[in-house]
């Protein structure tokens, strides 16, 4: 069983549904509204745990009902919450997900306590990092804390996975040098490399660029099309499963978490792990809400057999 530690964000998601996005100055009625657990870090941790990994979370919430709610989302899925700190300085993070009838989403985030995660918080969780197969991080918590965590991981022989989302051009070269696997989507890939993703040739060019920046293993996810992977000089493309998508909010996070639950620490089974992650993601997009949609290992395996 893989041991996975996730350093990242916890957000309470407010999902607003409507037929289409309003034009400037236009008012439209909602067709629905709901609340669910979210945050890229929490989503990925829950996905890893539900897919069978022993999972620990490093993050921060406020002393509020939202913080209690988010911790419960973790523990209900079997995620160890002992390194989730509480702060009096800000409220628990929140996100507002705008979802139209075609399942296209746009997301607005208030980082809250996610922006208060520090190197000291990471140091407190060093025992979990040292004991893990993988340390996963994203960009919804401070880069300084992530880089510090990756340094601890590398010193301990723990492999590192970076999901560079939300997209940013301000990624330190020193962080990429500590990253064993990077997994951006096509938009994030273009931000990091300047390469516009249109076909496999452009994926190879972008992935090679990332390798030249110091990351040996790369996955580029391209939504409903699938995922490209490269490991050393080997590469391939794994098509996505065709399903009727309802809400794509947690698709990428489910992919990362599920991937980490089956991936070998030397990345030797990268193609197989990507197929498993694609299957998990295909199940997540068929339900509404981020964390409520994340499948279990049994559900993923059942879909594989179907």
């Amino acid at each position: 069983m893989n041991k996975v530690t996730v350093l990242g964000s916890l957000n309470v998601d407010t999902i607003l549904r409507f037929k289409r996005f309003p034009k400037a100055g236009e008012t439209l009625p909602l067709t629905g509204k709901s609340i669910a657990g979210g945050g890229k870090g929490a989503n990925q941790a829950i996905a890893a745990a539900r897919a069978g990994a022993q999972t620990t979370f490093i993050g921060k919430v406020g002393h509020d009902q939202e913080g209690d709610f988010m911790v419960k989302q973790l523990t209900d899925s079997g995620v160890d919450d002992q390194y989730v700190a509480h702060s009096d300085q800000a409220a628990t993070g929140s996100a507002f997900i705008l979802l139209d009838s075609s399942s296209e989403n746009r997301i607005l985030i208030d980082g809250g306590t996610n922006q208060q995660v520090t190197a000291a918080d990471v140091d407190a969780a060093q025992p979990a990092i040292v004991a893990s197969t993988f340390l996963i991080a994203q960009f919804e918590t401070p880069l300084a804390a992530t880089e510090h965590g990756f340094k601890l991981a590398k010193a301990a022989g723990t492999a590192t996975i970076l999901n560079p989302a939300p997209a940013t051009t301000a990624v330190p070269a020193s962080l990429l040098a500590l990253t064993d696997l990077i997994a951006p989507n096509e938009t994030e890939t273009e931000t990091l490399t300047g390469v516009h993703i249109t076909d496999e040739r452009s994926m190879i060019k972008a992935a090679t660029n990332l390798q030249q920046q110091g990351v040996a293993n790369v996955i580029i996810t391209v939504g409903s099309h699938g995922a490209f992977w490269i490991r050393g000089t080997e590469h391939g493309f794994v098509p996505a499963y065709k399903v009727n998508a309802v809400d794509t909010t947690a698709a990428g996070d489910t992919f990362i978490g599920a991937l980490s639950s089956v991936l070998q620490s030397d990345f030797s089974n990268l193609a197989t792990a990507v197929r498993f992650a694609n299957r998990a993601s295909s199940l997540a997009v068929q339900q509404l809400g981020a964390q409520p949609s994340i499948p279990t290992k049994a559900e993923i395996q059942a879909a594989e057999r179907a």
Side-chain angles (χ1 to χ4, degrees):
M1 177 189 293
N2 279 357
K3 295 182 178 180
V4 176
T5 296
V6 179
L7 166 61
S9 56
L10 304 106
N11 291 327
V12 176
D13 290 350
T14 299
I15 305 159
L16 305 175
R17 300 187 297 279
F18 40 80
K19 290 183 178 180
R20 61 175 176 82
F21 288 97
K23 300 175 184 178
E26 183 180 24
T27 299
L28 293 176
L30 294 177
T31 59
K33 177 183 177 181
S34 57
I35 304 293
K40 296 191 71 62
N43 294 345
Q44 291 171 15
I46 287 173
R50 290 183 186 172
Q54 183 179 328
T55 309
T56 301
F57 195 81
I58 306 169
K60 189 166 286 186
V61 295
H63 281 291
D64 47 36
Q65 291 182 340
E66 290 78 10
D68 295 340
F69 172 78
M70 286 309 307
V71 170
K72 188 174 188 300
Q73 304 314 297
L74 295 176
T75 57
D76 282 354
S77 291
V79 178
D80 186 341
D81 70 326
Q82 66 176 307
Y83 301 114
V84 177
H86 289 73
S87 172
D88 292 317
Q89 305 305 310
T92 299
S94 57
F96 299 87
I97 300 169
L98 313 179
L99 186 66
D100 73 5
S101 59
S102 68
S103 298
E104 180 182 349
N105 69 62
R106 299 177 186 177
I107 303 173
L108 303 170
I109 294 177
D110 176 16
T113 48
N114 295 317
Q115 296 305 309
Q116 296 185 342
V117 175
T118 66
D121 297 316
V122 176
D123 280 335
Q126 186 170 2
I129 294 172
V130 169
S132 290
T133 314
F134 297 107
L135 174 63
I136 302 174
Q138 329 74 35
F139 287 165
E140 289 185 344
T141 47
L143 283 171
T146 297
E147 184 166 346
H148 184 67
F150 276 26
K151 286 178 180 177
L152 295 180
K154 295 297 286 184
T158 298
T160 55
I161 299 175
L162 181 64
N163 175 217
T168 177
T169 57
V171 183
S174 53
L175 176 59
L176 294 179
L178 296 166
T179 300
D180 292 308
L181 169 66
I182 192 167
N185 64 21
E186 64 267 45
T187 302
E188 294 149 5
T189 299
E190 184 171 357
T191 300
L192 289 169
T193 67
V195 178
H196 180 59
I197 301 300
T198 56
D199 54 17
E200 188 165 343
R201 183 178 178 181
S202 60
M203 293 178 200
I204 293 171
K205 182 179 180 180
T208 301
N209 179 292
L210 289 167
Q211 287 182 320
Q212 291 169 347
Q213 293 186 59
V215 187
N217 306 284
V218 180
I219 296 172
I220 299 173
T221 57
V222 286
S224 61
H225 297 292
F228 172 85
W229 62 270
I230 188 167
R231 174 177 176 260
T233 58
E234 300 177 332
H235 63 83
F237 187 83
V238 182
Y241 294 90
K242 302 303 179 184
V243 297
N244 294 318
V246 174
D247 181 1
T248 60
T249 302
D253 296 334
T254 298
F255 180 97
I256 297 290
L259 179 91
S260 71
S261 74
V262 297
L263 188 61
Q264 297 293 324
S265 60
D266 63 357
F267 306 98
S268 57
N269 67 334
L270 189 55
T272 301
V274 168
R275 282 192 288 274
F276 181 82
N278 271 355
R279 176 62 82 180
S281 186
S282 76
L283 296 174
V285 301
Q286 295 180 67
Q287 297 187 54
L288 190 64
Q291 290 169 13
S293 72
I294 297 171
T296 64
K297 181 177 181 179
E299 290 169 336
I300 299 167
Q301 291 175 331
E304 289 282 83
R305 293 192 296 268

